[in-house]
Structures are given as C-alpha cells and as structure tokens.
Amino acid sequence: SRRYGANTQSIMLSTINTIDGIYLKQLNVGLPVVSSHVVTSTSDPTGLGTPPNTIEALLERLASLVNSRGIPNMGTNICVAHLFTYQD
C-alpha cells in the first residue's frame, strides 16, 4: 500500500475486474472477489507486513494463511488466492 496509498484496494480490484472481463469473454470463467485484504503496516496480523526474503517463503506464508483462514474477513469458499505485491 506504500505505492498506491489509500487507492490500493481500488486499484487491485480494478485490475482483477479487467482480468475477469477477459476470462469471461475468452473462457466463460469469472473471477468473483469474495474478500480482499490490504496490508498497511509492518504489524499486520497476517505477518505479511514484514514479508520473508524469498518469493517461495512469501507464497508458503500466503498458502498457510489461506488454509488456516488467517486473513481478516476471509470468506469460507475460497478456491483461488491472488497475491499482489509491490516491493522497492
């Protein structure tokens, strides 16, 4: 959220909406957003505020959070999780 500030969630959802339009048109598959979570501080309860040093460790952390429902306001019927990251 450092790069986009208060617009982070809107930009993220706009990106997914664009991809959803392409998938619907070409594959007849939709990507409904059930929930989203934007990390805004290093003390985020998910632990993603201070991400691991490797992409593998970051994806393992995300998978663990999805499996344990450790992301705030996460729905119970999640089948795909997307990770948007911006790091300097």
Side-chain angles (χ1 to χ4, degrees), residues 2-79:
R2 285 181 291 153
R3 181 174 187 180
Y4 300 108
N7 295 322
T8 299
Q9 188 164 21
S10 296
I11 291 169
M12 180 177 63
L13 293 175
S14 176
T15 300
I16 294 172
N17 195 28
T18 300
I19 295 166
D20 180 56
I22 294 168
Y23 275 40
L24 277 173
K25 183 176 180 181
Q26 295 183 0
L27 304 171
N28 200 28
V29 173
L31 297 172
V33 176
V34 176
S35 66
S36 63
H37 176 70
V38 176
V39 175
T40 58
S41 74
T42 56
S43 60
D44 188 85
T46 63
L48 293 173
T50 52
N53 292 330
T54 66
I55 191 65
E56 292 84 4
L58 180 58
L59 291 173
E60 287 173 8
R61 177 73 181 133
L62 177 64
S64 174
L65 286 166
V66 170
N67 290 334
S68 68
R69 305 289 187 240
I71 298 174
N73 304 313
M74 186 173 147
T76 57
N77 57 347
I78 302 294
C79 63

